[in-house]
Amino acid sequence: MLPFVSLLAAELVCLVYGAEVIRDTTTYGQTVSENLFIVNKQLAPDGFQRSTVLAGLTPSTGSFPGPLISGNKGVRFNLNVTDQLTDPSMVRSTTVHWHGLFQKTTNYADGVAFVSQCPIAANHSFLYDFQVPDQAGTFWYHSHISVQYCDGLRGPLVIYDPQDPQAYLYDVDDETTVLTIADWFHNTSTELIAAAVAPLADATLINGKGRYLGGPAVPLAVINVQQGKRYRFRMISIACDAYHNFSIDGHRLTVIEVDGENHEPATVDNIQIFPGQRYSFVLTATQPVNNYWVRALSSSGVGSSGFTGGLNSGILRYQGAPDADPTTTNSTGVVLTESMLHPLENPGAPGLPFPGGADEVLNLTLGFNLPATFFMNDTQYIPPTVPVLLQILSGAQSPQDLLPPGSVYTLPINKTIEINFFGNATPGGPHPFHLHGHSFDVVRSADNTTYNYENPVRRDVTSVAIGNQTTIRFVTDNPGPWFLHCHIDLHLEFGLAVVMAEAPSLVKATDVTTPAWDELCPIYDSLTPAQLP
Ligand SMILES: [Cu+2]
């Protein structure tokens, strides 16, 4: 048994990510402690230099994407976030959200500005201390204040399961098989907000590398494989606006995990991945030794130019192949739809098998007004000045008392909830909706008008298409205020969000606060106008 106690980052890297991936089956009680420094840095991932907001394990190693944070199932994370931002052209306060982790009894560590905490002010730090008792799979972390994650604060987070029931399907699953897909902008988030129009992505970055139209031929991401081996790729859309159509020439992709939930293997040729979503897929390297194009066609901006000159592209390189661009061609095949996906464990939606067969049914209709205002049931979400969690701890319990008005929905404990999303004529869709604190069963997917209660996909981000209906089900077993929002970050900024205040009377101060959490609001509220946002 390994002495897995408070491992430093460097130790973790060599223990877990050596040539042989160590699988310790007795890691309950393992604590992974990391310092995460949030810094401004000039970066040119696509050859165009701009100021960015990055995360790094040291103040000088901020990177895009941010460093891989990982642990084994059962891990306790001690993630100390230190804000060293100084560039006044972008937001200088910060928060970090650990996307997909349920944060049961630790809502305070969910990292959402003005929902679960006040922002961390520049020159201050905050310790996110939480346990991941029962989840494993592919997650990520990102800023959750304003549109800051578009400026770069986004990175992968993986919880390995030493007893993964599908481990027999692959040979390799390590830091080389984590695959991030991002859109990248030459404008800062401040400029994107001011423009108040749908931004056009300048580049698609695969593992932080890519090119823009008319830009230099900077190196593309290279993914190395050995002929004959089976790889578990953990693909994460860390995009802030675009979705991507992902494929690898000459190779099929067998999906086995969706947003941190194991699913029965489903083999496809092309995966459409929306911002916030994750897929683990197994790729079997049985093709001739060669180079193959990896394609992630963006839905916006650079996507309209296809793959010319290495746009929207990376390279899959077999060991022994020359250091050269591929000459392979793209072929369309089976495109993944949600209806192909069925949970491996405990399939079946909660509630009864007909529309409305739940304890509570909530209808949420998306709306939009020019130039840039989104609505949920006619209410634009505008962040409150006091975090919803702090309001609850201060005694507010009812939707009438909780702010912002019209944006907070209370839910009873231990009930089955059905939410119907109606896309209506909202522009900029499809809108990938993410619920914090839960996975949910998508009983009616945007890509299918039929219902499935028997074994629908289980995930934490699903798309809501224009003119269509999406229906999800989940059980309220996690008291706390949980954000439910479009994961297109500008849509969230412009109001496409609500808060689900789950069982507010069961949210206990002893569960959810630390002394440092109590200090966040006084510190943030004392910032001068010149120090904001
Ligand atoms: Cu949206």
Side-chain angles (χ1 to χ4, degrees), residues 89-355:
S89 74
M90 295 175 287
V91 172
R92 281 166 290 172
S93 302
T94 198
T95 67
V96 181
H97 168 57
W98 322 96
H99 182 124
L101 300 180
F102 297 154
Q103 300 289 1
K104 210 169 199 172
T105 74
T106 50
N107 177 278
Y108 83 92
D110 198 38
V112 184
F114 306 112
V115 175
S116 58
Q117 69 169 96
C118 276
I120 305 166
N123 301 313
H124 289 270
S125 62
F126 178 66
L127 177 66
Y128 292 90
D129 178 356
F130 58 95
Q131 188 106 22
V132 189
D134 52 4
Q135 291 184 272
T138 308
F139 306 90
W140 63 300
Y141 59 91
H142 60 83
S143 162
H144 221 309
I145 180 171
S146 188
V147 187
Q148 190 179 57
Y149 94 72
C150 295
D151 291 320
L153 204 181
R154 4 177 184 165
L157 191 157
V158 175
I159 310 284
Y160 292 98
D161 182 355
Q163 295 168 315
D164 177 11
Q166 303 198 104
Y168 68 94
L169 292 172
Y170 54 87
D171 307 305
V172 184
D173 175 23
D174 59 20
E175 87 285 359
T176 69
T177 58
V178 173
L179 186 59
T180 62
I181 311 292
D183 47 7
W184 187 252
F185 300 87
H186 293 170
N187 293 105
T188 64
S189 64
T190 312
E191 293 165 335
L192 296 179
I193 293 170
V197 293
L200 297 176
D202 291 296
T204 295
L205 304 185
I206 299 175
N207 289 346
K209 293 178 176 176
R211 295 175 186 168
Y212 69 95
L213 188 61
V218 294
L220 299 173
V222 176
I223 299 162
N224 293 296
V225 295
Q226 271 179 36
Q227 195 181 45
K229 286 199 171 172
R230 302 165 303 166
Y231 294 81
R232 176 184 184 154
F233 284 100
R234 297 173 178 268
M235 178 164 65
I236 310 169
S237 170
I238 60 172
C240 75
D241 174 71
Y243 64 83
H244 294 87
N245 285 301
F246 180 89
S247 61
I248 301 177
D249 289 358
H251 294 79
R252 307 206 81 193
L253 318 171
T254 300
V255 175
I256 60 169
E257 179 223 334
V258 181
D259 296 358
E261 300 281 356
N262 292 324
H263 279 67
E264 291 175 10
T267 300
V268 299
D269 301 287
N270 190 302
I271 297 174
Q272 188 173 69
I273 186 167
F274 291 91
Q277 294 185 330
R278 293 87 66 206
Y279 292 103
S280 279
F281 62 83
V282 175
L283 175 143
T284 306
T286 49
Q287 292 298 309
V289 170
N290 206 342
N291 293 295
Y292 299 86
W293 284 120
V294 174
R295 302 172 189 270
L297 189 62
S298 173
S299 62
S300 95
V302 67
S304 63
S305 298
F307 305 104
T308 330
L311 298 175
N312 301 294
S313 300
I315 298 168
L316 180 77
R317 177 163 294 153
Y318 279 58
Q319 191 177 70
D323 183 1
D325 279 356
T327 55
T328 56
T329 52
N330 194 9
S331 62
T332 50
V334 178
V335 180
L336 181 72
T337 62
E338 280 192 339
S339 50
M340 296 175 189
L341 296 166
H342 308 295
L344 186 71
E345 291 122 349
N346 307 312
L352 299 169
F354 52 84

